[in-house]
Amino acid sequence: MRIQAALFDLDGVIVDTAKYHYMAWKRLANELGFDFTEKDNERLKGVSRMRSLEILLEVGGLLGKFSEEEMQEMAARKNEWYVELISKMDESEILEGTVECLKAFRDLGVKIALGSASKNAMLILNNLKLTPYFDAIIDGTKVSKAKPDPEVFLLGAKELGVDPSNCVVFEDAQAGIEAAKNAGMKAVAVGSPENLTGYDKIVKGLFEVKPEEIVNL
Ligand code: B16
Ligand code: MG
């Protein structure tokens, strides 16, 4: 069995928090006087909070118009709205096949970690009652370099005590797939082949994953 650890991205793989990020970013854009579409929001997936703000301001033609302090304040304001939304989440929002997938890996003796850019990952996992499935949780509070830098996944492998070459990553964002490959890990893309490239395998969702096959990837 080559694979000894499975690392999961959060938004877009386990749960669809992108819709809540969108609602909160749109509210900020509207307050600043411009619109922010769902298509614009695609650019924020897997991207850190501050980088997301830069992209949003670029869309509104306002990039470079605010001080560092004002940027921090806007990001904090967006996060307050976002936290308000995700605080209401429960198990019904777990994406199809997630629990079965986590259980099957665990039964095969594969360790499980979270590798997310979000600083709110713990709140989400707790609300979804998924925290007990994870042997290690690496989130935006523990890493300083954003995907495609491999830091988040390398830290996960280290905490699990597994060599990166024996790890598989499940990711919906292109930057995340690149981060996995940069870490020397196998990458399973979650999404459609039109938007993603460079993976070892692609699935539509975790419901399509066969852990007994993945361990020999
Ligand atoms: P926060 P992931 C990412 O989650 C989201 O896809 C991205 O849109 C968000 O900006 C980022 O987390 C930071 O989130 O503002 O909660 O710290 O896909 O890495 O699980
Ligand atoms: Mg993601």
Side-chain angles (χ1 to χ4, degrees):
M1 211 166 83
R2 194 159 33 234
I3 297 300
Q4 290 158 19
L7 295 90
F8 293 83
D9 173 52
L10 181 62
D11 176 27
V13 173
I14 288 177
V15 70
D16 177 24
T17 36
K19 61 176 185 251
Y20 299 123
H21 280 297
Y22 176 56
M23 287 161 85
W25 283 126
K26 191 179 165 71
R27 185 169 168 185
L28 182 69
N30 292 165
E31 282 198 1
L32 292 170
F34 64 93
D35 196 25
F36 191 69
T37 67
E38 254 179 277
K39 189 162 174 278
D40 296 326
N41 193 58
E42 284 301 307
R43 295 176 61 195
L44 309 188
K45 289 188 177 174
V47 172
S48 76
R49 193 181 306 168
M50 287 313 286
R51 180 70 196 122
S52 296
L53 176 61
E54 286 170 9
I55 295 171
L56 181 114
L57 293 176
E58 191 188 293
V59 169
L62 295 174
L63 190 59
K65 302 253 191 284
F66 298 97
S67 68
E68 177 60 30
E69 212 186 343
E70 287 168 322
M71 300 267 289
Q72 292 292 348
E73 183 280 323
M74 284 188 273
R77 194 150 28 116
K78 176 266 171 179
N79 192 56
E80 264 179 45
W81 297 327
Y82 175 67
V83 168
E84 209 178 295
L85 293 165
I86 60 172
S87 296
K88 295 177 196 131
M89 290 175 85
D90 64 23
E91 294 133 285
S92 66
E93 298 203 41
I94 300 173
L95 292 178
E96 187 190 346
T98 300
V99 174
E100 293 79 358
C101 182
L102 296 173
K103 276 187 183 157
F105 275 120
R106 200 178 55 186
D107 292 347
L108 288 164
V110 172
K111 293 201 174 127
I112 295 169
L114 187 84
S116 166
S118 177
K119 291 190 165 83
N120 297 298
M122 278 313 303
L123 171 64
I124 299 165
L125 285 186
N126 285 338
N127 282 356
L128 266 38
K129 301 204 166 42
L130 288 178
T131 315
Y133 289 100
F134 292 87
D135 302 298
I137 293 174
I138 313 298
D139 62 15
T141 65
K142 291 191 182 173
V143 293
S144 53
K145 299 186 203 108
K147 301 167 188 174
D149 190 282
E151 185 185 20
V152 63
F153 296 130
L154 288 176
L155 206 58
K158 197 172 161 206
E159 275 204 22
L160 295 175
V162 175
D163 192 86
S165 63
N166 299 116
C167 293
V168 62
V169 169
F170 292 87
E171 254 293 348
D172 71 312
Q174 185 57 35
I177 294 168
E178 285 163 27
K181 297 317 290 180
N182 288 338
M185 300 177 179
K186 297 285 180 190
V188 177
V190 180
S192 62
E194 299 93 73
N195 313 319
L196 302 166
T197 173
Y199 44 78
D200 297 290
K201 191 177 169 61
I202 187 160
V203 293
K204 290 193 192 74
L206 293 184
F207 59 87
E208 243 182 43
V209 172
K210 294 190 176 70
E212 67 284 3
E213 283 176 17
I214 296 289
V215 289
N216 294 312
L217 198 65

